Amino acid sequence: MNAGIQPAGGGLTVSGNMTLETAAALLASGVAALDKGQPSFDLSNVADIDSSGLAVLFGWLRAARAHGLALNIVNPPRNLISLAEMYGVSELLPLS
């Protein structure tokens, strides 16, 4: 499944898979959005996520901090929360 980032309301909606196949494109799209000052990402339409998706989130977090923005990740899928807990990084991610 293709992945993408679309404007929605006051933020951005991520859809599709956040996996190895889509990670590079999602990282680039998310960083471009952060360059424009858009730090809120809604993950409610993410179908699947693996550890590559976690890497994307950390890439967005670094880019947001470089721009002095507070990254906001809303509606994280249950499997993202499980992965973050398994890797011991859930406290490092701004999941709400």
Side-chain angles (χ1 to χ4, degrees):
M1 174 182 261
N2 289 335
I5 299 175
Q6 305 297 323
L12 301 161
T13 297
V14 182
S15 60
N17 294 332
M18 292 183 75
T19 57
L20 182 60
E21 294 80 18
T22 62
L26 285 174
L27 177 60
S29 295
V31 169
L34 289 161
D35 289 344
K36 296 176 185 173
Q38 297 175 308
S40 184
F41 295 85
D42 182 342
L43 304 186
S44 59
N45 291 327
V46 170
D48 190 22
I49 190 165
D50 64 16
S51 59
S52 300
L54 276 178
V56 169
L57 295 179
F58 279 108
W60 292 348
L61 184 60
R62 282 189 302 275
R65 287 181 177 162
H67 289 294
L69 300 170
L71 183 67
N72 186 29
I73 303 295
V74 297
N75 300 314
R78 183 173 299 286
N79 57 343
L80 167 60
I81 295 168
S82 296
L83 276 173
E85 288 173 353
M86 183 176 72
Y87 286 113
V89 297
S90 56
E91 302 83 31
L92 303 175
L93 292 169
L95 304 174
S96 57

